Amino acid sequence: MLRSINPITKLAVCFLWLGAAMLVFDPRFQAACILVPALALVLLNRTSPLLLLALMIPFCLFGFGFLTTSVLFRKESEFALQMAGESLIATPAFSAGIVLFLRAVACGMISVFFALTTDPNRAVRSLMVSLNLPARVGYSLFAAMQLAPDLAAEAQQMRIARAMRAGRPPRRIPGPAELFSLVIPLLAFAIRRAGRTAIAMEARGLSPTTPRTIMNAPGFGQNDLVFAGAAFILLCLCGLLPLRF
Amino acid sequence: MTSDPRSPDVTPVAEWQDARVRYPYEQRDAVGPVTLHIRPGERLLLLGPSGSGKSTLLLTLTGLIPRSIPAEVGGNVRLYGTDAAKREPWAWAKDVAQYFQDADQTLCGMRVEDEIAFALENRALPPHLIADSVAAVMARVGLPDEWRARRSTTLSGGERQLVALAATLVQDAPLFVADEPTAHLSPEAAERLHRLLMEKRPDHSILIVDHRLDGLVGSVDRVAVLGPDGTVIAEGEPRSVFREKRDLLAAHGIWRPVSSELDRALGDAGVVPPRAPLSVTEALAHLDPATAPPDAIAKAKPAIEAFVAKRQAEPAPPEGGSRPLAELKQADCAPFLGPVVLHGIDVAIREGEVLGILGANGAGKSTLGACLAGLLPLKGGSRSGPTGGLAFQRPENQFLTGSVREEILTALPKPMPAPEKLRRASDAIATWQLAGLESQHPFTLSQGQKRRLALATLTAGETWPLLVLDEPTAGLDAHGVSRLTEEIAALRRKDRAIALITHEMDFALRLCTRCIIVGEGRILAEGAPDAVLFDRELMKRARLAEPSCAPARRWLERVASC
C-alpha cells in the first residue's frame, strides 16, 4: 500500500516529519516519531521488526554519541540543554542527551520509512516528471541509489574469492578487518560501475539536451491526499503529546 | 543480397579505413590498421583470437572510443558515409544498436521493462508505442512477463544477457552490432537468438562477433577475420573461408564451425562434400545411407567414427573406484540474498571425476556450483568435503590484485618457497598465453584474457582438490578452449574433482564423465554424457540441445542398421 504512494508525496511528508523531529526537543515527541513510522512499516508494509531493529543500529550508535557528548561535555551542548530544560522531563544533561539520542533514531526511522517503501526507479521518474529534474541528473541519482544493493552483492563475491584463496568457506558475518579490507576494492568497483553505466546509457541514446519520454512515472491520486493528510494529522497529534502529558 | 560498396551509388553502412586504436600508455596498437566495411542489408561475422581487438574495433563505430573510453584512434571510421566522430555517441543510437560483450555494459541496473524501454524513451517516442514495442520484443526474445518488475542485476548471467539483447533489439536500428551475444546463453536460447538476430531484412545490417558458430554461420553473408596482430587476415563468403582458410584459422586459434573439421576428415577419406558444409547435416548430405554408393559409405565410415569418438570423454572410472570428495545431501540452494532456487539436492562428486552441471538460463547451476564448492551456505540440508576453488562466471569477480603476475602468485599456496612460486607463475603465464601482459592490471585485459587469467590462478597451484568451473569457455578462443581441455584432463589424471558448469554441449560431451541436468528447481536427470546428452526429450524439457555431432552419430547408427 505504501509503495503505491507517489514518491514525491512521501518525500514531502518525510521532510516535514524530519523538520519537526529536528525542531521539537521533547522525548515523547521523538519517541512518537520513531513509533509511528515503525508501526506503519510493520503493519502496512509488512516489514520485519527484526529488520527495523537491525537498520536502527547505526542510528542508535550515532545517537549514543550525542548522549555521551551531552553528559560528558555539557558546556558544548548549551543550546540543546537549554531547550531540554524547558521540557517536562528536565534532568538537564541526561534528558538532553536522551532527546538527542531519540532524535537521531527518529531521523533514521523516517529515512528508513522512505527507503523501504520507495522504489528508486519510481522516485527518479517521479522527480523527472513532476519536478523537471534533468534526465542526466535523475539517472545519475538512480545509478547511485542502485549501487547500495549491488555493493553488497559485489562484496559477497569478493569475500567468496578471498575465502576460496584461503581454502575456507566465507564467514557468515565479516569481521572489522575483513570489512575494512573491502573498502578500496568496493570503491574501485563503484567507479568502474559508474563508468559502465554511463557508457551503457550513452550508447542507448541518453542525451543531455533532447526531450525524452518517461514511462511508468507515478502520478498523483487520492491515495496521496489521504496519506499526506493522515501523516499531517498524526504529526499534529504527536506534537500535542508534550502539551497533554 | 548484398550490394557492392565500390559502386558509386551505394554507401557502406559502416566503414573502417586504415583504422587503428592505441590505448593510453600502451606500446602497440590494440587493433589495426583495419580496412573493412558493412554493406546495407549485409550480415557480417567478425572472428579473431582473443585479444585481437574485435571489441575495441566495435567501440570505435559510434565514437565511444575515443569520446568515452580514452584511446588514440587513427584512420577513418565512417557510419552511413559520415565521419563517426562528427556526432556524439548518443546521437548514433537510433542508427546503431550496440550489444556489448559484457551484458553489464549494456544494462543500467533498472527493472527489466524499464531497461528495455530506455532507448525508446530517449528517442521521445509516444508511450503507447514504447509499451507495444517492449511487449513485442519481450515475446520475441522469450522473456516471461513476470520478469518485467525484476531488477536486471538480480537475474542470472544468461538471463541478463537475454534482457540486454531485448534492450538493444527494441531499438530496431538499421545497424545491429553484437559482441558475443550468446556467450552465456543455453543452447536453446542461443539458437532462438541467432534466428532472431539473423533474420534477413534488406534495410537492416548486422555485425556480429560470436564464437558459437554452429547455427549462426548458415545465416551469415560474409566473414572477416582479424589476426592476433589486429589486422584482417581473411575475408569472404563463409563457405570458402571455412574451407580454404581452415588451416590459417586453426593456426591462430580462431573458432570454426564443427562441420569444418568433418569436411576435412571426409576430404582426407576421399568423399569430400560437393560444397563446403556449414553444418554437420550438410556435410553428410551426400552420404545418405539409403542412396549413396556403398564404397563412399565405406570410405566415410571410419572418418565419421573418428570424428564422433574425438568428441567423447575418456570412460568414467568405475563406480566406487574412487571416494566421494564432496557431497550435498538434501540441500536447498539459494543465491546470495535470494530465494531458494534448488530444493532437496543430492549430489556427490568423486576424485578424478568431471561432473557436468547443465541446464537452461536461470536454472540455478551457478548457485549449485558455489554450494558444491562450499562457498555459499546452504539454506537446508548438509554438505561434506573440503572447500573447493571456483572459477567465477564473471572472471573479474575473482581478481584481487593489481597485476597479472601478482594475481597468479597470490593464488599459490602460502607455504610454497618463493622461487617455486615464481617458476609456477611463469609456467602458468606461458601456458595460458599471458606473456607480455604480466604487469597489466587484470581489469584492463580483454574478456578472453581475463578468462585465461582466472583459469590460470585456479590451475597454477594444487590448492583445491575440487574445482568448480562456471562457464569457463565464455570469451575464450579455440586455443584457449583447447588449453582448458588439456588442463582439465591433466587435473583429472591427478585425481582432482572438477564440476563443469557449461552451455557448450560439445565441451561437456568431450570432458565430462557424468552429467546432471538441472531444471524445475531440482535435478532432472543424471547419468553418463553419452546417455543424457543425446536424449532428445530430456534436452527439450531442459531447454538444452544435443551436441553438434549428434547427426553424425545418427548417421553411424543408420549405417550400422543397414
Side-chain angles (χ1 to χ4, degrees):
Chain A
M1 178 194 167
L2 292 172
R3 288 182 170 270
S4 64
I5 309 290
N6 189 304
I8 291 179
T9 311
K10 260 186 284 186
L11 194 63
V13 164
C14 287
F15 272 136
L16 186 68
W17 276 67
L18 282 171
M22 297 294 285
L23 293 173
V24 180
F25 275 75
D26 183 274
R28 285 150 299 184
F29 180 77
Q30 302 293 348
C33 286
I34 297 167
L35 284 175
V36 171
L39 281 173
L41 281 171
V42 173
L43 298 176
L44 304 176
N45 198 52
R46 294 176 185 277
T47 306
S48 151
L50 280 177
L51 175 69
L52 278 184
L53 286 173
L55 288 172
M56 284 304 109
I57 289 171
F59 295 101
C60 288
L61 291 173
F62 186 57
F64 190 68
F66 282 122
L67 179 64
T68 50
T69 306
S70 298
V71 173
L72 299 174
F73 306 101
R74 191 177 171 189
K75 279 188 180 170
E76 278 80 349
S77 311
E78 207 169 328
F79 173 70
L81 292 174
Q82 189 188 341
M83 297 297 289
E86 290 165 5
S87 68
L88 291 174
I89 305 171
T91 46
F94 190 74
S95 64
I98 287 288
V99 173
L100 294 171
F101 170 81
L102 290 174
R103 188 173 73 172
V105 180
C107 290
M109 186 60 80
I110 296 164
S111 309
V112 162
F113 174 85
F114 181 77
L116 290 182
T117 59
T118 309
D119 174 13
N121 188 37
R122 273 168 58 87
V124 166
R125 283 167 190 271
S126 187
L127 288 169
M128 287 193 292
V129 167
S130 306
L131 301 181
N132 289 327
L133 186 74
R136 282 211 160 181
V137 178
Y139 280 113
S140 303
L141 192 64
F142 167 76
M145 286 193 283
Q146 297 288 30
L147 203 57
D150 294 349
L151 278 176
E154 188 65 20
Q156 178 65 6
Q157 293 285 314
M158 287 176 189
R159 293 184 63 227
I160 289 179
R162 288 168 185 217
M164 186 180 89
R165 295 228 175 153
R168 55 161 176 80
R171 294 183 183 92
R172 279 195 186 266
I173 298 168
E178 189 181 0
L179 280 177
F180 185 72
S181 71
L182 289 172
V183 171
I184 300 292
L186 285 176
L187 187 64
F189 164 77
I191 294 167
R192 257 194 333 271
R193 175 68 192 271
R196 283 180 181 178
T197 305
I199 289 174
M201 289 183 174
E202 190 168 21
R204 287 200 275 156
L206 180 66
S207 87
T209 48
T210 51
R212 65 190 304 281
T213 308
I214 298 168
M215 298 282 289
N216 301 324
F220 292 95
Q222 210 172 358
N223 279 353
D224 294 286
L225 205 63
V226 172
F227 173 75
F232 184 72
I233 290 167
L234 278 170
L235 186 63
C236 292
L237 290 173
C238 293
L240 287 175
L241 280 175
L243 302 177
R244 297 274 306 188
F245 304 100
Chain B
M1 310 284 195
T2 56
S3 31
D4 184 354
R6 286 161 296 188
S7 66
D9 55 333
V10 176
T11 308
V13 171
E15 194 176 12
W16 290 270
Q17 280 177 345
D18 292 322
R20 58 174 78 221
V21 180
R22 183 173 298 192
Y23 288 111
Y25 313 114
E26 291 296 326
Q27 300 301 312
R28 57 180 283 268
D29 292 337
V31 65
V34 168
T35 297
L36 190 68
H37 60 264
I38 308 161
R39 303 163 182 140
E42 188 179 36
R43 296 165 299 183
L44 176 69
L45 171 66
L46 183 64
L47 294 176
S50 69
S52 60
K54 303 181 293 293
S55 302
T56 298
L57 194 67
L58 302 190
L59 287 167
T60 61
L61 205 53
T62 56
L64 283 168
I65 288 179
R67 281 179 185 264
S68 301
I69 302 167
E72 190 186 309
V73 179
N76 289 314
V77 184
R78 301 174 76 79
L79 269 171
Y80 304 97
T82 306
D83 184 354
K86 280 198 172 162
R87 287 199 215 167
E88 292 283 344
W90 56 260
W92 286 113
K94 69 178 171 51
D95 303 302
V96 183
Q98 279 183 292
Y99 174 85
F100 299 112
Q101 191 171 25
D102 185 350
D104 289 339
Q105 280 179 292
T106 306
L107 302 174
C108 314
M110 302 174 200
R111 297 178 328 144
V112 167
E113 67 174 338
D114 296 326
E115 285 283 6
I116 299 173
F118 185 70
L120 304 183
E121 287 178 306
N122 292 332
R123 277 154 66 178
L125 295 182
H128 70 274
L129 206 64
I130 296 178
D132 291 349
S133 302
V134 169
V137 84
M138 283 184 75
R140 282 175 75 201
V141 175
L143 303 182
D145 221 39
E146 309 86 72
W147 286 17
R148 276 177 178 268
R150 284 180 69 181
R151 268 196 71 205
S152 59
T153 45
T154 64
L155 302 170
S156 78
E159 290 171 336
R160 271 205 296 276
Q161 196 157 27
L162 285 171
V163 174
L165 275 162
T168 37
L169 277 170
V170 79
Q171 290 178 248
D172 200 29
L175 175 59
F176 188 92
V177 180
D179 193 355
E180 299 262 11
T182 61
H184 297 287
L185 295 188
S186 69
E188 182 259 354
E191 192 189 328
R192 183 157 34 86
L193 258 298
H194 276 153
R195 221 172 28 241
L196 216 127
L197 285 177
M198 305 311 282
E199 276 169 9
K200 186 74 180 166
R201 294 163 74 186
D203 52 343
H204 281 65
S205 310
I206 307 268
L207 170 57
I208 188 166
V209 174
D210 209 345
H211 78 261
R212 288 173 99 164
L213 302 180
D214 296 287
L216 172 70
V217 282
S219 319
V220 165
D221 297 314
R222 192 160 56 97
V223 179
V225 185
L226 293 184
D229 62 349
T231 58
V232 177
I233 56 168
E235 194 180 345
E237 192 264 332
R239 289 184 195 278
S240 63
V241 167
F242 290 122
R243 178 174 273 181
E244 289 157 23
K245 306 284 182 184
R246 193 163 50 203
D247 295 337
L248 180 72
L249 302 188
H252 289 305
I254 295 164
W255 284 105
R256 292 159 296 139
V258 175
S259 56
S260 169
E261 203 178 317
L262 184 56
D263 184 36
R264 170 193 281 278
L266 292 173
D268 292 346
V271 280
V272 65
R275 67 173 188 157
L278 294 177
S279 68
V280 172
T281 308
E282 265 189 31
L284 298 172
H286 68 301
L287 294 168
D288 186 339
T291 54
D295 65 321
I297 300 287
K299 280 183 191 171
K301 195 179 166 202
I304 295 168
E305 279 171 343
F307 171 79
V308 172
K310 200 179 159 188
R311 275 161 177 72
Q312 295 191 316
E314 291 168 29
E319 196 69 25
S322 56
R323 63 187 178 89
L325 188 71
E327 192 168 10
L328 294 178
K329 281 185 182 164
Q330 284 299 302
D332 293 334
C333 309
F336 176 61
L337 297 181
V340 173
V341 291
L342 294 169
H343 298 266
I345 299 293
D346 286 311
V347 66
I349 184 163
R350 294 168 180 279
E351 287 174 338
E353 184 178 42
V354 183
L355 174 71
I357 302 177
L358 311 172
N361 295 118
K365 304 182 295 296
S366 299
T367 303
L368 176 58
C371 289
L372 190 60
L375 295 169
L376 197 58
L378 299 175
K379 295 287 177 187
S382 64
R383 176 190 182 275
S384 58
T387 304
L390 171 68
F392 290 67
Q393 196 177 98
R394 291 184 66 220
E396 283 185 3
N397 291 132
Q398 212 170 312
F399 302 145
L400 302 174
T401 67
S403 77
V404 167
R405 184 182 293 280
E406 211 182 331
E407 197 63 41
I408 299 173
L409 284 171
T410 53
L412 295 168
K414 276 188 185 159
M416 188 182 277
E420 176 64 9
K421 275 190 180 180
L422 287 172
R423 189 189 64 76
R424 293 260 188 133
S426 298
D427 285 353
I429 284 167
T431 302
W432 290 98
Q433 295 177 303
L434 294 165
L437 306 168
E438 294 92 331
S439 310
Q440 254 182 254
H441 194 286
F443 285 95
T444 63
L445 303 177
S446 77
Q447 283 294 328
Q449 288 163 342
K450 281 178 191 166
R451 180 74 61 191
R452 293 207 299 265
L453 174 59
L455 294 167
T457 60
L458 284 175
T459 53
E462 289 176 3
T463 315
W464 299 282
L466 162 67
L467 282 180
V468 177
L469 309 180
D470 194 352
E471 297 190 29
T473 57
L476 285 185
D477 59 17
H479 271 332
V481 170
S482 142
R483 179 66 246 155
L484 176 63
T485 307
E486 286 167 20
E487 201 64 41
I488 290 174
L491 290 168
R492 192 186 150 194
R493 284 193 293 275
K494 289 180 195 167
D495 269 349
R496 307 265 285 277
I498 294 157
L500 198 58
I501 300 167
T502 185
H503 289 302
E504 302 281 349
M505 307 306 277
D506 288 10
F507 190 63
L509 180 66
R510 185 176 296 184
L511 282 168
C512 297
T513 50
R514 184 163 58 101
C515 284
I516 55 173
I517 310 291
V518 181
E520 302 165 17
R522 61 194 177 91
I523 292 177
L524 288 177
E526 181 177 353
D530 210 29
V532 172
L533 303 186
F534 293 100
D535 182 336
R536 284 196 201 187
E537 280 304 308
L538 176 64
M539 291 296 103
K540 194 176 168 188
R541 182 176 167 200
R543 287 183 283 148
L544 297 172
E546 290 179 302
S548 59
C549 66
R553 206 175 124 112
R554 278 195 287 276
W555 184 92
L556 287 171
E557 284 165 4
R558 281 181 68 198
V559 168
S561 66
C562 284

